[in-house]
Amino acid sequence: MTIDQTPDDGSAGRRRLIEAGVRLGPGVRAWLGADVRVGRDVTIGAGTVLAADTLTLGDGVTIGEDCDLRAGTLFLGDATEIQSSVTVLVADAFEVEGGGRIESLAQVTCRSFQADRLLYLGRETSVGYGGTTASTSHVVLGARVAIGPHSILNANQPIILGDEVGSGSHLTIWTHGFHFGHRLLDGYPATFAPVRVERNVWLAYHATVLPGVTIGAGTIVAAGSVVSRDLPAGVLAGGVPAAVKRTLAPRPPQGDEAHRRVDALLDEWVAELHWKGLPAKRALDGPIDVGDGHRVLLVTGTTGLDTVNAHADAAGGRGFHLLTVDDRPDLRPWTGRTRALFELRSGRLTGCLDDVGHDLRDFLRRNALPCGDQLPFRSLPVEGFARLAALTRKPTTTGNGR
């Protein structure tokens, strides 16, 4: 890094952020290089520190209170959310593409950290955890990677996770092991080796992955397992040490069966809306009307555009969200400011979401049908929980906090 080392209390960088239109809480400090790019509607919470030679904050980026972000290159893509008290110390580059969310009290220390779209890094997760200022300390995460809370990614050597890798809480991935009492010249060689997890792998609660392991695509590792050797693709593995239990042979539901499964999920969503205090009613012909004019409709592969438009008109100009099991490219041009299309099998989402649409998207995610990677997931609040949480919420600042 070549950040200017002349005496500065961080106020000069703060002024630059204000000039760029960033909404700042009180006490924000910044040490910035020459290359600063800031999008629209960026918010940085009180007490946060930023330091970077190259800073890019995309549209709608939110950084919470009391964060400490430092990197040679600091890149946060559109709509990325960094919650409160997150600490980052990355020598080369810290890059999170759009729609990422890093929860409170997470810590990242390594040489470089690169995450594709829709990253989720759970609360109190630690990236680093010993020896992570080494030249080999790199973390590369694919799209839609979700790491559960209280996890450890020990990146003394590279950790590479493919697209759609997910974990429960308390995952641990180790790239080195060493103990003073077991020395190299006493016949106990230390292990230093990278870990690679290929796409679409699920690592269940309290799984442990040891140095040098590669896990093949589509594999599921059972809760409490210790993976000490490579695992092939497409298997269920478990135990200490983890061993292959069986080959996975999923049978994707098709046609009417797939439609019935999604239809049943939508009935459950209506019940959840009632719990949240929203009026929601499902009509005999299938559409769900929520509140004042919002409509949701599950269509089949033969539903025509005239039918879709008729339901959209019935939504009264508010929000209309359409769901299809399989892809319907013919419906994508129909989307717009108040219309959205969920294509469930591929996970494609086009159009714009209102609050009801966001709640539907989050409900689908929780039922293993995630759609879209442009924005973090969020849902409508439950009135009782929201009222109780507000009792202790800190006051928020508006404007630039001068």
Side-chain angles (χ1 to χ4, degrees):
M1 297 180 71
T2 59
I3 291 173
D4 186 3
Q5 298 298 313
T6 57
D8 180 9
D9 62 0
S11 59
R14 175 185 175 85
R15 287 193 297 271
R16 292 178 67 185
L17 293 173
I18 291 172
E19 291 167 359
V22 179
R23 293 187 295 272
L24 299 182
V28 171
R29 297 176 294 153
W31 289 264
L32 306 175
D35 191 358
V36 176
R37 304 176 188 179
V38 178
R40 299 168 297 174
D41 300 321
V42 174
T43 301
I44 300 176
T48 284
V49 173
L50 292 95
D53 287 317
T54 301
L55 175 71
T56 302
L57 304 178
D59 293 345
V61 165
T62 301
I63 300 175
E65 298 180 350
D66 299 319
C67 293
D68 193 325
L69 308 176
R70 309 182 185 210
T73 296
L74 180 58
F75 177 96
L76 302 179
D78 294 349
T80 293
E81 297 180 5
I82 308 294
Q83 296 188 354
S84 61
S85 301
V86 169
T87 301
V88 173
L89 182 61
V90 174
D92 291 347
F94 180 80
E95 300 177 350
V96 178
E97 295 290 342
R101 174 180 288 154
I102 298 179
E103 292 207 339
S104 297
L105 300 172
Q107 298 184 18
V108 179
T109 303
C110 54
R111 180 177 172 184
S112 70
F113 181 95
Q114 297 174 296
D116 207 333
R117 301 190 67 85
L118 209 67
L119 168 71
Y120 172 79
L121 206 61
R123 181 181 176 87
E124 296 187 8
T125 287
S126 178
V127 178
Y129 222 81
T132 49
T133 58
S135 63
T136 53
S137 180
H138 300 282
V139 176
V140 180
L141 308 179
R144 297 187 178 189
V145 168
I147 304 299
H150 313 293
S151 295
I152 296 171
L153 305 185
N154 165 237
N156 182 281
Q157 298 283 314
I159 292 176
I160 301 171
L161 307 184
D163 294 347
E164 298 185 331
V165 168
S167 83
S169 64
H170 296 87
L171 167 72
T172 52
I173 296 179
W174 301 100
T175 64
H176 86 289
F178 168 76
H179 171 55
F180 284 114
H182 296 85
R183 299 182 300 171
L184 178 68
L185 295 181
D186 290 336
Y188 299 98
T191 301
F192 293 83
V195 167
R196 177 183 293 272
V197 180
E198 297 180 357
R199 70 178 313 275
N200 196 33
V201 168
W202 172 249
L203 303 165
Y205 169 77
H206 228 301
T208 299
V209 181
L210 297 183
V213 163
T214 295
I215 299 176
T219 281
I220 296 174
V221 177
S225 299
V226 177
V227 185
S228 59
R229 296 179 180 175
D230 291 354
L231 293 175
V235 300
L236 172 65
V240 182
V244 174
K245 304 299 181 182
R246 61 181 173 88
T247 299
L248 298 173
R251 293 184 300 169
Q254 304 292 333
D256 290 344
E257 180 188 359
H259 193 92
R260 284 193 298 270
R261 292 192 186 187
V262 175
D263 197 63
L265 281 179
L266 291 177
D267 286 338
E268 294 180 18
W269 180 56
V270 170
E272 285 295 300
L273 292 174
H274 290 163
W275 152 242
K276 293 181 177 183
L278 273 76
K281 181 179 179 180
R282 190 154 199 195
L284 293 177
D285 59 347
I288 301 169
D289 291 316
V290 183
D292 183 19
H294 297 82
R295 175 162 287 196
V296 174
L297 179 68
L298 172 64
V299 302
T300 68
T302 59
T303 303
L305 189 58
D306 289 344
T307 300
V308 170
N309 282 325
H311 282 286
D313 292 341
R318 295 291 299 277
F320 179 52
H321 303 309
L322 191 68
L323 294 88
T324 69
V325 171
D326 295 301
D327 280 3
R328 289 286 304 271
D330 58 310
L331 296 180
R332 292 172 195 159
W334 159 93
T335 58
R337 187 173 61 85
T338 61
R339 300 178 174 185
L341 172 66
F342 293 77
E343 295 172 278
L344 300 178
R345 198 180 298 277
S346 68
R348 179 189 293 268
L349 173 64
T350 52
C352 296
L353 300 177
D354 56 16
D355 288 344
V356 171
H358 276 290
D359 192 86
L360 173 61
R361 178 176 178 244
D362 191 59
F363 177 84
L364 292 170
R365 172 192 66 84
R366 289 185 282 112
N367 286 274
L369 288 173
C371 287
D373 57 9
Q374 302 92 341
L375 298 167
F377 292 97
R378 61 183 174 88
S379 61
L380 291 165
V382 179
E383 182 179 354
F385 287 122
R387 178 175 57 83
L388 293 170
L391 294 176
T392 57
R393 186 172 296 145
K394 294 181 181 179
T396 57
T397 60
T398 58
N400 59 31
R402 297 192 207 191

